[in-house]
Amino acid sequence: MSLPKQVRLVEVGPRDGLQNEQQPISVADKVRLVDDLSAAGLSYIEVGSFVSPKWVPQMAGSAEVFAQIQRKAGVTYAALTPNMKGLEAAIEAGVKEVAVFGAASEAFSQKNINCSIAESLARFAPLLEAARVNGIQVRGYVSCVLGCPYEGEIDPEQVAQVAHELFAMGCYEVSLGDTIGTGTPGKTRQLIERVGRRVPHDKLAGHFHDTYGQALANIYASLLEGIAVFDSSVAGLGGCPYAKGASGNVASEDVLYMLNGLGIDTGIDLDALVDAGERISQLLGRANGSRVARARLGR
Ligand code: HMG
Ligand code: MG
């Protein structure tokens, strides 16, 4: 199969990246990150989460962040919402796009959102209905698609089932999350082939954490399967608080560099993205997690 001509990168750094940071990060610093990312040409930015502050304290200021970002025309600013309470808070904050997040693993579902897979889907259905009434688009996530920190191997059929249910209830796109980064390219292709029988390929996205260094290879494998939307995190920020040892998402800069090399259009400026990633890395006192950024910055 030929490669897609265009790819949409979903920048999850401000959410998936920062949610795991223990140190306080000010609203102003989060706003600056989001604005730097939109200035670099990202057209989709996950800004924060409307979740329980007891579960993920770092995302508590998300409404303030939404209030202060400079909304650029053509950019989607999204938030995670696990339940109706989250959706209501998102609507209050003027959010126009949200994401629900389920899992292909029962144990992970319990640890992450304190309910079973079936309960989570039953919780999402009214949320999707309320979102539709309010003109809000909903994206769906499935976690642990290529392995679970608690259950190990995950049956691709289980992933396909959950992805199908999210799509059937109205998620316009389903992002397949390799939460702990254990996937490899062959398994990634098999997974997409299986899930693609239940959800059209052009409604699927890939969300690869880079814990085992496989993320770029898995993205390339996904491109070969016709996937054209990928989630990534500037400077490779992050991890999941309920998946111990999970490192950040694949670095946006590294994905962009690969896509540029393949002649695939994204509309994103690599230099501006590198600057945004370096700025937040320095602020957090973290080594920049992007290999491309480190090379460009001469480290
Ligand atoms: P629960 O304790 O079962 O919820 O948590 P509850 O409905 O029983 O409510 C308990 C308390 O939480 C109550 O407050 C509620 O008001 C409050 P209290 O009376 O105790 O003061 N509450 C909320 N507060 C703010 N916003 C809300 C909300 N809902 C309830 N929306 C719940 C269930 C889902 C709320 C909790 O488990 C939670 O917030 N989990 C979020 C976990 C999370 O954000 N994980 C990280 C994101 S997922 C991820 O990173 C994976 C992904 O990147 C893909 C991948 O990599 O695979 C997407
Ligand atoms: Mg993630």
Side-chain angles (χ1 to χ4, degrees):
M1 182 187 252
S2 60
L3 298 172
K5 293 196 167 30
Q6 278 191 331
V7 156
R8 176 158 57 86
L9 283 192
V10 168
E11 172 58 52
V12 297
R15 193 281 302 171
D16 207 343
L18 298 187
Q19 71 183 6
N20 209 29
E21 283 292 329
Q22 302 297 316
Q23 57 182 306
I25 306 168
S26 73
V27 168
D29 287 332
K30 291 177 182 171
V31 169
R32 172 70 195 256
L33 173 61
V34 172
D35 290 344
D36 283 352
L37 292 166
S38 62
L42 266 313
S43 64
Y44 191 117
I45 304 171
E46 216 170 61
V47 171
S49 304
F50 294 93
V51 298
S52 163
K54 287 184 193 137
W55 286 63
V56 187
Q58 189 63 260
M59 289 292 111
S62 291
E64 283 108 305
V65 179
F66 270 99
Q68 293 177 34
I69 51 177
Q70 300 215 327
R71 285 170 192 268
K72 199 176 143 193
V75 178
T76 300
Y77 297 95
L80 294 196
T81 54
N83 53 19
M84 284 300 281
K85 194 177 164 89
L87 179 71
E88 283 156 16
I91 291 173
E92 182 82 20
V95 178
K96 292 277 177 271
E97 166 131 354
V98 300
V100 293
F101 46 108
S105 144
E106 283 294 349
F108 186 82
S109 181
Q110 290 291 349
K111 296 272 186 197
N112 194 40
I113 50 176
N114 205 25
C115 64
S116 68
I117 297 170
E119 283 165 341
S120 75
L121 295 169
R123 206 176 266 180
F124 298 154
L127 189 161
L128 270 124
E129 180 53 23
R132 195 185 60 74
V133 169
N134 284 278
I136 292 172
Q137 291 219 93
V138 186
R139 194 169 191 246
Y141 277 106
V142 185
S143 283
C144 299
V145 299
L146 288 160
C148 169
Y150 311 105
E151 293 182 8
E153 292 269 323
I154 295 293
D155 180 358
E157 208 45 51
Q158 171 73 2
V159 181
Q161 181 62 26
V162 177
H164 166 75
E165 298 214 22
L166 290 173
F167 185 63
M169 72 171 73
C171 291
Y172 73 91
E173 179 173 288
V174 179
S175 179
L176 301 175
D178 185 9
T179 316
I180 53 170
T182 47
T184 45
K187 286 194 172 165
T188 298
R189 290 193 78 165
Q190 280 166 14
L191 175 75
I192 292 167
E193 195 275 315
R194 282 292 266 286
V195 179
R197 293 182 203 168
R198 311 291 305 275
V199 180
H201 280 63
D202 64 351
K203 306 293 180 198
L204 292 173
H207 177 109
F208 296 101
H209 285 259
D210 202 26
T211 318
Y212 284 74
Q214 304 295 302
L216 276 184
N218 291 338
I219 290 175
Y220 189 68
S222 305
L223 287 167
L224 292 172
E225 289 292 326
I227 304 301
V229 182
F230 297 99
D231 306 351
S232 63
S233 178
V234 71
L237 295 173
C240 176
Y242 296 102
K244 200 167 179 291
S247 75
N249 291 83
V250 63
S252 306
E253 299 89 322
D254 298 3
V255 180
L256 180 59
Y257 180 83
M258 181 177 81
L259 296 174
N260 285 348
L262 290 167
I264 296 174
D265 181 36
T266 59
I268 305 164
D269 181 84
L270 181 58
D271 289 327
L273 189 59
V274 166
D275 289 346
E278 182 59 12
R279 188 169 201 288
I280 186 70
S281 298
Q282 287 193 1
L283 187 102
L284 297 173
R286 268 172 168 264
N288 193 320
S290 159
R291 300 282 295 266
V292 167
R294 293 207 299 270
R296 291 255 173 161
L297 296 165
R299 312 251 160 87

